[in-house]
Amino acid sequence: PSSRQAVLVACENYSQVVDTLHLAKKVLGEILAAFEYMDQPILDLVGKDKIIPLLDESGENYPYCILIETQGSSEEHDSVKMESFLEAAMEEELVVNGIVAQDLQQVHNLWEIREHCGVAVSSNGRTYKYDISIPYDQFDPVVTDLRERLKETHPEALSLNWGHIMDGNLHVNVLMPGKFEKDESLTARLEEYIIDVVISHKGSVSAEHGLGQDKNAYLERVKDSNVIETMKSVKKLFDPKGILNPGKYFP
């Protein structure tokens, strides 16, 4: 694209995040390219390595930040649209603060925050990662419920979350700070919960990265037998000897 615009805005609650998405779709329309949300716990962790340029009056991270990018063919046209969006978001009290990237370097700097999320969790302890697809208005209720469950059995665990809201793709991350060994009891508790959540919302246990070897044991719970047999037939058609990625996808 010949024109790229990016902003980082802050919200005080998740309903504002959802309403901001609706407004972005309405005002930015065809040039809306990315709408990435990050919650406060992941911002706190990323902030240990990167500068978060959007903080509240006490110097703390906001409950939610959203990185919004537009891509188009006319910088003047796109700038006007972005300004209109930000004005409306402020007037409707959907966002409480925000910054606008002034050049491509600043666009890159904002994306570094988002892209450092995965690095930050992995370098601080054992991380249990789940890349799921559910309705975006359910992101926060699911995360809140998960945190309450963790308090009962693993109070030291941190729930850190971000995602591609437009795609309904939530990255659920549970971090055991300073511990790098796998906790089988925590794994079992998390996976049972995540699978139940996905099934109840008719979502996907793997929104972006495929089932691989860790999630294929749950295939029969998320797909009916006819679908699975069809999938196996297609696999056999293209890979009759089973030499392509053996053991992946199908248990």
Side-chain angles (χ1 to χ4, degrees), residues 128-187:
Y128 303 82
K129 299 171 176 284
Y130 301 93
D131 170 44
I132 66 174
S133 177
I134 58 175
Y136 59 75
D137 60 353
Q138 294 302 307
F139 280 17
D140 198 56
V142 166
V143 169
T144 300
D145 185 33
L146 175 59
R147 286 178 176 149
E148 290 301 316
R149 291 168 181 257
L150 287 172
K151 286 180 182 178
E152 298 174 2
T153 57
H154 298 80
E156 71 277 28
L158 299 177
S159 172
L160 313 102
N161 308 275
W162 64 92
H164 321 294
I165 292 191
M166 289 196 299
D167 302 327
N169 180 197
L170 173 63
H171 294 289
V172 179
N173 290 259
V174 175
L175 170 66
M176 294 294 283
K179 297 180 180 180
F180 290 87
E181 296 76 17
K182 186 175 182 179
D183 184 330
E184 296 293 349
S185 67
L186 178 56
T187 300

Side-chain angles (χ1 to χ4, degrees), residues 8 33 40 56 77 82 90 102 115 138 184 201 208 211 222 235-236 245:
L8 186 68
Q40 186 172 3
D56 64 20
H77 168 269
M82 183 65 84
M90 288 291 189
Q102 300 301 310
E115 291 169 352
Q138 294 302 307
E184 296 293 349
H201 289 96
E208 290 184 298
L211 287 176
V222 296
K235 167 72 172 174
K236 187 175 182 179
N245 270 355

Side-chain angles (χ1 to χ4, degrees), residues 77-105:
H77 168 269
D78 296 353
S79 295
V80 170
K81 276 201 163 187
M82 183 65 84
E83 289 174 9
S84 298
F85 162 71
L86 290 173
E87 288 176 4
M90 288 291 189
E91 288 177 2
E92 296 180 26
E93 298 183 343
L94 301 181
V95 302
V96 294
N97 204 349
I99 58 170
V100 181
Q102 300 301 310
D103 53 39
L104 289 179
Q105 179 61 55

Side-chain angles (χ1 to χ4, degrees), residues 16-159:
Q16 291 176 337
V17 174
V18 173
D19 289 341
T20 301
L21 172 60
H22 296 162
L23 180 67
K25 287 183 174 181
K26 177 182 177 181
V27 177
L28 298 174
E30 78 286 352
I31 63 171
L32 179 60
F35 193 98
E36 306 281 312
Y37 110 105
M38 297 166 278
D39 65 16
Q40 186 172 3
I42 188 59
L43 290 168
D44 288 343
L45 194 64
V46 170
K48 294 180 179 181
D49 303 321
K50 303 287 183 180
I51 296 174
I52 309 294
L54 196 61
L55 302 173
D56 64 20
E57 294 179 353
S58 62
E60 301 293 329
N61 284 302
Y62 286 97
Y64 302 94
C65 275
I66 313 166
L67 173 57
I68 303 169
E69 180 176 335
T70 62
Q71 297 179 0
S73 57
S74 170
E75 187 168 348
E76 181 179 359
H77 168 269
D78 296 353
S79 295
V80 170
K81 276 201 163 187
M82 183 65 84
E83 289 174 9
S84 298
F85 162 71
L86 290 173
E87 288 176 4
M90 288 291 189
E91 288 177 2
E92 296 180 26
E93 298 183 343
L94 301 181
V95 302
V96 294
N97 204 349
I99 58 170
V100 181
Q102 300 301 310
D103 53 39
L104 289 179
Q105 179 61 55
Q106 291 187 9
V107 172
H108 173 75
N109 292 345
L110 292 181
W111 273 105
E112 274 200 333
I113 296 170
R114 166 62 183 83
E115 291 169 352
H116 195 68
C117 292
V119 177
V121 292
S122 297
S123 62
N124 278 274
R126 183 79 187 195
T127 307
Y128 303 82
K129 299 171 176 284
Y130 301 93
D131 170 44
I132 66 174
S133 177
I134 58 175
Y136 59 75
D137 60 353
Q138 294 302 307
F139 280 17
D140 198 56
V142 166
V143 169
T144 300
D145 185 33
L146 175 59
R147 286 178 176 149
E148 290 301 316
R149 291 168 181 257
L150 287 172
K151 286 180 182 178
E152 298 174 2
T153 57
H154 298 80
E156 71 277 28
L158 299 177
S159 172

